[in-house]
Structure formats: C-alpha cells, structure tokens
Amino acid sequence: NYSECYLDIANSGVSIKRSGGFIRGIDTSSDVGTFRTQFVNPEPVTVKDINGNLLPDSAKMTTGCTVCLGGADGYPVIDSVTAVIIGDVDCDGYIDAMDSILVSCIAQELYEGGDLTAAQLRAADVDASGTWDDADAQYIQSCGLLINTVDQHI
C-alpha cells in the first residue's frame, strides 16, 4: 500500500522529522552512494540536487538535497524529504567560513525571509535554540577552522 510507504532507515543515526519534512543526522563526509546504503526500502532511494537533478552516487550530500523513495527504475516518487546538514547553510556540503558569514547576515537580519529555504534556516541554527544568532555563526566558524564539530543529531 503506497499510501503507507515511507523512507525506512536502518540503525544509522539518520532521522526523519516529518513535521518539517527534513532528514538529518547525515555525516558531513557522506556521498550520495554511501548515504543511500542506509535505507532498507525495497524501492530505490534517489537523491536530487536543489534544482531537481538526479545526483550520481559520487556526489556530496548537501543541505537542500531532496531524498526520494522511488523516482528511478520506473518507480513513482512515493515519499520525499529535504536533507539538512547542520552548519551547511550555503548548500555546498561543507561547514566553513561562508556558512558563518551567512549566519551572521541572518542574525543581523540582512536576509529577507524568502531569501533562504527552511532547510537552510534549520542548518543555520547549530545549537537548536530556535534562533539564529552570533553564537551560531561563531560556532560554525570554529568548525570551519576544525576546532569544533557540529552534532548532526540535534
């Protein structure tokens, strides 16, 4: 029964938050192929970039990717969620100075609400406080300098 089918994850630490339509807990070094092996669905799991293009297994997982159950080998898309890598605000798959700058701009209200996606805003809140502030930006900067790491399971 397709109406009850959802992406099914093995014991990997990856979690799906249905209320926001997000999947998180993705390792920052994960490529699409490695990421797809975490699913136990009989249907194919596909990953598309922010523009809707199917990604090869060698591509890097990034914030904003769409993870779909189906969408290949003749299967219709049954379920989909958006990937969130906490700290990857610019959707390049890395946590670095550019992400820190974006979060600083968000904290200083230099971005309009429609300029960033919900996934990017979730990725910007590294301490899960519900707000975007200089503490988030500073922590992301320290991650870019390899002083800290971001807990992808918050």
Side-chain angles (χ1 to χ4, degrees), residues 22-35:
F22 299 131
I23 187 166
R24 54 189 190 198
I26 302 166
D27 188 290
T28 55
S29 65
S30 196
D31 61 33
V32 169
T34 303
F35 175 75

Side-chain angles (χ1 to χ4, degrees), residues 26 39 52 54 58 60-61 64-65 69-70 74 76 79 83 88 92 104-105 109 123 126 128 144 148 153:
I26 302 166
F39 295 88
L54 194 62
S58 60
K60 187 161 182 55
M61 287 296 298
C65 286
L69 176 59
D79 189 16
D88 176 30
D92 68 354
S104 289
C105 291
E109 299 180 4
V126 295
N148 286 309
H153 303 284

Side-chain angles (χ1 to χ4, degrees), residues 9-27:
I9 302 168
N11 293 328
S12 65
V14 174
S15 65
I16 295 174
K17 184 172 182 175
R18 287 280 161 205
S19 63
F22 299 131
I23 187 166
R24 54 189 190 198
I26 302 166
D27 188 290

Side-chain angles (χ1 to χ4, degrees), residues 62-87:
T62 68
T63 293
C65 286
T66 303
V67 180
C68 303
L69 176 59
D73 301 328
Y75 285 91
V77 173
I78 300 165
D79 189 16
S80 67
V81 289
T82 303
V84 172
I85 297 176
I86 307 299

Side-chain angles (χ1 to χ4, degrees), residues 7-146:
L7 287 159
D8 191 12
I9 302 168
N11 293 328
S12 65
V14 174
S15 65
I16 295 174
K17 184 172 182 175
R18 287 280 161 205
S19 63
F22 299 131
I23 187 166
R24 54 189 190 198
I26 302 166
D27 188 290
T28 55
S29 65
S30 196
D31 61 33
V32 169
T34 303
F35 175 75
R36 290 183 336 116
T37 64
Q38 299 178 78
F39 295 88
V40 295
N41 296 85
E43 301 86 4
V45 173
T46 57
V47 180
K48 297 178 181 181
D49 67 16
I50 203 160
N51 298 313
N53 301 309
L54 194 62
L55 291 173
D57 283 349
S58 60
K60 187 161 182 55
M61 287 296 298
T62 68
T63 293
C65 286
T66 303
V67 180
C68 303
L69 176 59
D73 301 328
Y75 285 91
V77 173
I78 300 165
D79 189 16
S80 67
V81 289
T82 303
V84 172
I85 297 176
I86 307 299
D88 176 30
V89 184
D90 64 357
C91 303
D92 68 354
Y94 299 97
I95 301 169
D96 55 23
M98 185 53 109
D99 299 300
S100 177
I101 291 167
L102 284 171
V103 174
S104 289
C105 291
I106 294 166
Q108 295 173 31
E109 299 180 4
L110 297 175
Y111 275 101
E112 301 268 335
D115 290 345
L116 299 171
T117 67
Q120 287 175 290
L121 291 172
R122 177 60 191 100
D125 185 15
V126 295
D127 59 6
S129 66
T131 62
W132 309 280
D133 53 30
D134 287 329
D136 293 311
Q138 290 170 0
Y139 195 82
I140 289 173
Q141 183 177 24
S142 72
C143 293
L145 295 171
L146 304 178

